[in-house]
Amino acid sequence: MSIYVGNLSYDATDEDLKTVFAEYGTVKSVKLPTDRETGRVRGFGFVEMSAEAEETAAIDALDGAEWMGRDLRVNKAKPRQ
DNA sequence: GTTGAGCGTT
């Protein structure tokens, strides 16, 4: 299971995200897809944690929360096709 | 601007 994180600041980095989610559990991986043409983050990302309970806690705590001036959109990610 | 990539044999 992974977590989708949307409405991110375009200044946010994977380390920033990891730091935030690490408060709710062990972050296994963080991904911030970048636009191939601009080389910049697209404004959303993915986080994987070691336990589903941790992911749920992080989603519950961070969805709708303000971070770097933006209201985060956090929920369970769709399976990548 | 709202659901990734991996590209080479883990």
Side-chain angles (χ1 to χ4, degrees), chain A residues 62-72:
Chain A
L62 299 173
D63 184 35
E66 184 182 307
W67 188 60
M68 295 184 86
R70 289 168 176 271
D71 291 323
L72 295 179

Coordinates of all heavy atoms in Angstrom, one line a residue, chain A residues 62-72:
Chain A
L62 N -2.7 14.1 8.2 CA -2.2 15.1 7.2 C -3.2 15.5 6.1 O -3.0 16.6 5.5 CB -0.9 14.6 6.6 CG 0.2 14.3 7.6 CD1 1.4 13.6 6.9 CD2 0.7 15.6 8.2
D63 N -4.2 14.7 5.9 CA -5.1 15.1 4.8 C -5.9 16.4 5.2 O -6.4 16.5 6.3 CB -6.1 14.0 4.6 CG -7.1 14.3 3.4 OD1 -6.6 14.9 2.5 OD2 -8.3 14.0 3.5
G64 N -5.8 17.4 4.4 CA -6.4 18.6 4.7 C -5.6 19.6 5.6 O -5.9 20.7 5.8
A65 N -4.4 19.1 6.0 CA -3.6 19.9 6.8 C -2.8 20.9 6.0 O -2.5 20.6 4.8 CB -2.6 19.0 7.6
E66 N -2.4 22.0 6.6 CA -1.7 22.9 5.8 C -0.2 22.6 5.9 O 0.3 22.3 7.0 CB -1.9 24.4 6.3 CG -1.2 25.4 5.5 CD -1.4 26.8 6.1 OE1 -2.6 27.2 6.3 OE2 -0.4 27.5 6.3
W67 N 0.5 22.6 4.8 CA 1.9 22.3 4.8 C 2.6 23.2 3.8 O 2.2 23.1 2.6 CB 2.2 20.8 4.6 CG 3.6 20.4 4.8 CD1 4.4 20.5 5.9 CD2 4.4 19.8 3.8 NE1 5.6 20.0 5.6 CE2 5.7 19.6 4.4 CE3 4.2 19.5 2.4 CZ2 6.8 19.0 3.6 CZ3 5.3 18.9 1.7 CH2 6.5 18.7 2.3
M68 N 3.6 23.9 4.1 CA 4.3 24.8 3.2 C 3.3 25.7 2.5 O 3.4 26.0 1.3 CB 5.1 24.0 2.2 CG 6.2 23.2 2.9 SD 7.3 22.3 1.8 CE 8.5 23.6 1.4
G69 N 2.3 26.1 3.2 CA 1.3 27.1 2.7 C 0.2 26.5 1.8 O -0.6 27.2 1.2
R70 N 0.1 25.1 1.8 CA -0.9 24.5 1.0 C -1.7 23.5 1.8 O -1.1 22.9 2.7 CB -0.3 23.8 -0.2 CG 0.2 24.8 -1.3 CD 1.1 24.1 -2.3 NE 1.5 25.0 -3.3 CZ 0.8 25.2 -4.4 NH1 -0.3 24.5 -4.6 NH2 1.2 26.1 -5.3
D71 N -2.9 23.2 1.4 CA -3.7 22.2 2.1 C -3.4 20.9 1.4 O -3.8 20.7 0.3 CB -5.2 22.6 2.0 CG -5.5 23.8 2.9 OD1 -4.9 23.9 3.9 OD2 -6.4 24.6 2.4
L72 N -2.8 20.0 2.1 CA -2.5 18.7 1.6 C -3.7 17.8 1.2 O -4.7 17.9 1.9 CB -1.6 17.9 2.5 CG -0.2 18.5 2.8 CD1 0.5 17.7 3.8 CD2 0.6 18.7 1.6

